Amino acid sequence: MSPLPHSASPSAAGVMQTTPSTFTPPLSGTPGAPLSAARTAAELHRFTCDGPERMRPVEPGPGRLLLVRHGETLWSRDGRHTGLTDLPLTDAGRRRATGLPTLLGAHRIVHVRSSPLQRAAETLHLAGRTPDTYDADLAEWDYGAEEGRTTAEARRDGRPGWTVFDGVPPGDTPGETVEMVAARASRVLGRVWGHLEHGDVLLVGHGHHLRVLAAVYLRQTPYLADSLEFEAGSLCVLGHHRDTPTIQQWNRMP
């Protein structure tokens, strides 16, 4: 599948799929209806969270952070950068997501927070959980002009060895640096520290963003995220050893 031209809509690239009628995408409100990155960017403000943010506690609570990456989409399957383009899951992505209740059943979840993009929201729906809130700061990295393109295509433009961590040029959307993504991840963490005092917190989102969030949680440079794999539809668990943040489980598949 060729990259989506910036002037075209996702449906023009053949990504329209049927989603269960019981699921309503938070952004479009229409099951199976994709949105372009620019349209998503214009709609995300409705899910901005202005609640209080806390500093990292000196003595962390007993709860763990449960990170779930959304299930497969056509673009994630093909290795295309899918930032703000709001695509539905594939049937394979839905099948894997139905295995998440088993993985999550062992956890005492006291707070659930999701990206408002439909691939994350439907994954949460299929996991049998209801969000306490949709958080725009959990949306995927804004890839700017690299939206819809593969890493190989970007490298053929005279950038050998390039990854998104090297920066993205603006396109239909402005694009983000890794530091900007880390700032959003820090805001999400600031909103959930209090919940971790009472139990586990479930965050459902996207591969690059959640990898950066994990790096921030671990008190490491956000560039550590470039060395972390996070498969579609998998679960990662972050916890503590005494007061040191740790990875307890990574890439657990249903």
Side-chain angles (χ1 to χ4, degrees), residues 77-229:
R77 182 196 67 190
D78 295 342
R80 300 170 65 183
H81 289 101
T82 317
L84 299 184
T85 303
D86 192 22
L87 301 182
L89 300 176
T90 62
D91 289 340
R94 294 188 188 99
R95 284 193 297 271
R96 176 169 289 179
T98 60
L100 287 169
T102 301
L103 290 184
L104 297 175
H107 298 276
R108 189 170 71 86
I109 298 172
V110 298
H111 181 72
V112 179
R113 188 172 288 255
S114 174
S115 160
L117 276 74
Q118 66 176 303
R119 57 193 185 271
E122 187 178 11
T123 298
L124 177 60
H125 173 75
L126 293 170
R129 301 283 173 164
T130 301
D132 292 300
T133 188
Y134 288 113
D135 192 335
D137 281 328
L138 273 170
E140 181 60 298
W141 196 319
D142 178 357
Y143 297 126
E146 301 304 333
E147 185 78 8
R149 284 160 50 88
T150 67
T151 297
E153 288 168 338
R155 289 177 176 179
R156 285 198 295 268
D157 290 343
R159 291 176 288 173
W162 176 88
T163 74
V164 295
F165 291 87
D166 297 313
V168 298
D172 286 349
T173 56
E176 289 182 295
T177 64
V178 64
E179 290 82 8
M180 294 166 71
V181 178
R184 289 199 286 114
S186 294
R187 291 198 293 269
V188 173
L189 291 172
R191 296 178 189 122
V192 303
W193 292 130
H195 295 292
L196 292 170
E197 295 174 0
H198 307 287
D200 297 338
V201 170
L202 173 60
L203 302 179
V204 182
H206 310 270
H208 268 130
H209 179 278
L210 288 178
R211 287 156 58 190
V212 171
L213 184 144
V216 173
Y217 176 88
L218 295 168
R219 299 190 297 220
Q220 304 297 319
T221 167
Y223 290 90
L224 172 68
D226 200 16
S227 298
L228 299 175
E229 294 187 38

Side-chain angles (χ1 to χ4, degrees), residues 19-32 116 118 121-122 125 134:
T19 55
S21 59
T22 54
F23 168 70
T24 302
L27 288 167
S28 70
T30 304
Q118 66 176 303
E122 187 178 11
H125 173 75
Y134 288 113

